[in-house]
Amino acid sequence: MALENLRDLYQQVILERYKKPRHRGKTEPTDRYQKGHNPSCGDTIELTLKLSPAGDQIEDVKFEGEGCAIAMASADLMAEAIRGKTLDEALQMVQRFQTMMQGKDEFPPELRKLNVMQGVSQFPVRIKCATLTWHTLKAALEASNAQAVGVVSNE
Ligand code: ZN
């Protein structure tokens, strides 16, 4: 597939997720809550997580917020990808996403949907839009309860 067509495909997926997100809302119950903000674009995101009874696995994750197509699509794709993952696995995915945004890595086949965001790494000003949801997730996972510790800013 020509690189240009591939870019078009990525854009289509991003726009489709933006228009028809599959994981918007709030989890019930909410075991973790975290708000994140990306001042450079104005994206705001609120993540809620439902954890397993032992607290070591993500059973559900949803997001609410306002922002550009990249920020919202990234949140929706992330929510899908981290469902069922352990907290450790999710934190490793945060790390891998950041490395991917530096153009150095990508996700394995079972998580290839996330690689749609790879194209964003070519547009430095938009990287913060794509990583906002992952920064917010990291803060949510590192919190010890459902109380939001202020707002995460990725500035
Ligand atoms: Zn944005």
Side-chain angles (χ1 to χ4, degrees), residues 42-142:
D43 311 311
T44 302
I45 205 155
E46 286 178 81
L47 278 186
T48 49
L49 275 72
K50 179 189 174 196
L51 302 181
S52 62
D56 60 351
Q57 194 172 12
I58 298 164
E59 290 196 341
D60 197 12
V61 52
K62 287 191 167 22
F63 76 98
E64 286 187 339
E66 297 299 326
C68 68
I70 291 172
M72 296 297 113
S74 187
D76 202 49
L77 288 164
M78 183 200 79
E80 196 160 296
I82 65 166
R83 262 188 109 166
K85 298 281 186 274
T86 65
L87 271 52
D88 283 346
E89 284 169 340
L91 284 170
Q92 281 168 24
M93 287 165 70
V94 171
Q95 192 62 49
R96 180 169 275 195
F97 193 88
Q98 283 167 349
T99 314
M100 184 170 85
M101 284 298 110
Q102 294 160 15
K104 292 180 197 158
D105 201 358
E106 62 177 24
F107 285 89
E110 66 272 19
L111 293 169
R112 65 178 175 277
K113 273 185 191 164
L114 292 171
N115 293 335
V116 159
M117 303 308 291
Q118 244 177 334
V120 176
S121 67
Q122 293 163 25
F123 305 97
V125 288
R126 309 314 297 275
I127 290 174
K128 285 179 180 172
C129 302
T131 56
L132 173 64
T133 189
W134 293 92
H135 281 296
T136 309
L137 173 68
K138 188 166 186 276
L141 293 176
E142 286 170 350

